[in-house]
Amino acid sequence: MPIAVFANKTFQVNSQKIYTFDDLTMNSSLETEKQDAANKKPSTYIKGPDLYTMSFSIPLDVSMGVNVRNEYGAWKALVEAGKPYPFILGGIPLGANKWLLKSASLNNTVIDSNGNILSGTIQLEFEEYVRPGSAQASKSTKKTSTSYAPGISLPKVSGNINLLGSSDKADIKRSNPNMLSRLPE
């Protein structure tokens, strides 16, 4: 079973290849604005939740069955395509929305005397993708909430979320045919 899947990339460990990620960082924040008042402290206006962000690094080495230059090129192409995809972790979509890959950088490279990249680390940064127009629609829709702590309630998320469109399913099926059988319909 794959560890995770994003677009046509599958994170997994097998006898031919080790392709995993490290340092997964996820961030959520609240969008606020200060509103000035004469001779008083400014008040805080809460606009609402900001988009979630996520980042992680992928250690790559030719000895692990990975071509570092090609892998970086493939991630760079995903950045330039500007298309959001679900991030599937442990067979479950991470979050209620798709993720947009915003940047990919290659660092800590080791290059041999022939110019081959023997190892390196790819650093990826993602941002939650909410399609245009859906933020306004979600404000007017009443949501059911589940309370997790006093005074804090979060939207109830159905276990049957389907974030995959037909093109997403086709991409995943090409890269990992067994993954679709584990995803909700």
Side-chain angles (χ1 to χ4, degrees):
M1 177 176 168
I3 298 164
V5 175
F6 178 78
N8 60 352
K9 297 303 206 175
T10 302
F11 298 93
Q12 62 187 352
V13 176
N14 61 38
S15 59
Q16 290 86 32
K17 186 176 179 182
I18 298 175
Y19 197 78
T20 61
F21 56 89
D22 292 330
D23 305 321
L24 174 65
T25 303
M26 298 179 66
N27 296 304
S28 60
S29 61
L30 191 62
E31 186 80 20
T32 63
E33 181 180 293
K34 289 182 183 177
Q35 294 183 337
D36 293 329
N39 300 320
K40 296 180 184 177
K41 281 190 169 194
S43 62
T44 303
Y45 173 69
I46 299 173
K47 293 181 176 182
D50 205 351
L51 296 173
Y52 298 139
T53 60
M54 169 176 64
S55 66
F56 56 83
S57 58
I58 307 171
L60 301 174
D61 195 299
V62 294
S63 66
M64 296 188 295
V66 179
N67 182 315
V68 179
R69 187 185 304 253
N70 289 349
E71 283 302 314
Y72 175 63
W75 284 105
K76 191 170 69 167
L78 285 170
V79 170
E80 292 168 359
K83 183 176 179 191
Y85 293 94
F87 189 88
I88 312 294
L89 181 62
I92 301 169
L94 190 58
N97 294 306
K98 294 180 182 182
W99 293 88
L100 185 63
L101 180 59
K102 299 225 10 176
S103 73
S105 59
L106 178 63
N107 54 48
N108 299 325
T109 56
V110 174
I111 301 171
D112 71 9
S113 60
N114 296 321
N116 299 310
I117 303 174
L118 302 177
S119 66
T121 303
I122 295 177
Q123 180 68 36
L124 303 174
E125 294 182 14
F126 299 83
E127 184 175 80
E128 179 184 28
Y129 178 79
V130 178
R131 75 178 166 73
S134 64
Q136 186 63 35
S138 67
K139 286 180 185 176
S140 63
T141 306
K142 188 175 180 180
K143 296 181 180 177
T144 58
S145 299
T146 303
S147 179
Y148 289 93
I152 298 175
S153 61
L154 300 173
K156 192 176 230 175
V157 178
S158 166
N160 229 0
I161 295 175
N162 184 3
L163 300 175
L164 302 175
S166 59
S167 65
D168 298 327
K169 288 181 181 180
D171 289 344
I172 291 171
K173 189 172 186 177
R174 277 191 292 278
S175 65
N176 189 348
N178 297 327
M179 190 63 185
L180 281 180
S181 64
R182 289 187 216 87
L183 298 176
E185 288 301 317

